[in-house]
Amino acid sequence: MPSRTWLCAAAAILALCAFSCNKDEASLADLRTKTITLPFGQKIKAEVQVSDIEIARGMMFRESIAPDRGMLFIHQRPSVYTYWMYQVKIPLDIIWMDANRVIVEIKENAPPCATKASECPSYGGAAPSQYVLELAGGMASKYGLKPGQRLSF
């Protein structure tokens, strides 16, 4: 006869399988996203990047990004962070925010850089920031984003 511990473990595994097999369940990629509410109520679903490797890779090699999508970089502490477009294939709007999620700087339509890494320009760094949001090129203007506005996430 199986032990009570074994039966509990089996029940937990079956419940987990039933839960994860639900076709309405979020994908693994969805678990790494945050919904960002912009100042005029628009919502962006952003992939979250936290580790140094994730932040360095960023949007490299991507062919496109949907208008309501983005990538949110979360740095451990406020500092001056510059970004570049090395190996990025599409223009991006880069929005820097301070620790209170207030926009401190925007670089619109940063162009892709397919040359040697040493020849790619860096953007940002005019003010300390802790969060950086990348959107498809032209979306910051479309959404009416300006320094001094606060984003919610």
Side-chain angles (χ1 to χ4, degrees):
M1 179 172 205
S3 72
R4 179 177 218 148
T5 304
W6 185 87
L7 288 173
C8 288
I13 290 169
L14 286 172
L16 181 61
C17 181
F19 179 74
S20 64
C21 293
N22 183 348
K23 64 183 170 197
D24 293 331
E25 187 60 30
S27 70
L28 182 58
D30 288 337
L31 297 175
R32 296 276 313 202
T33 63
K34 276 194 174 294
T35 299
I36 299 173
T37 304
L38 304 179
F40 299 108
Q42 308 98 322
K43 296 197 184 296
I44 298 291
K45 193 169 194 177
E47 296 174 47
V48 177
Q49 308 298 328
V50 178
S51 75
D52 291 341
I53 291 171
E54 292 171 336
I55 290 171
R57 183 181 55 242
M59 296 285 262
M60 286 180 169
F61 311 111
R62 303 239 180 147
E63 299 287 337
S64 65
I65 183 169
D68 63 342
R69 295 289 182 146
M71 187 171 282
L72 178 65
F73 301 89
I74 301 175
H75 294 279
Q76 295 297 315
R77 65 191 60 78
S79 188
V80 174
Y81 296 103
T82 59
Y83 278 61
W84 65 345
M85 299 288 288
Y86 178 65
Q87 299 291 342
V88 176
K89 297 182 173 197
I90 54 175
L92 297 174
D93 290 347
I94 309 170
I95 298 111
W96 288 263
M97 294 166 277
D98 66 15
N100 296 314
R101 301 173 181 158
V102 173
I103 298 173
V104 295
E105 186 174 359
I106 298 174
K107 170 59 181 166
E108 293 188 53
N109 285 303
C113 186
T115 65
K116 294 189 299 188
S118 61
E119 295 176 4
C120 293
S122 293
Y123 303 102
S129 63
Q130 186 165 4
Y131 306 98
V132 178
L133 176 65
E134 292 182 342
L135 302 172
M139 295 311 296
S141 178
K142 180 180 177 191
Y143 288 129
L145 298 179
K146 304 223 180 301
Q149 295 174 325
R150 187 176 189 279
L151 280 58
S152 300
F153 52 91

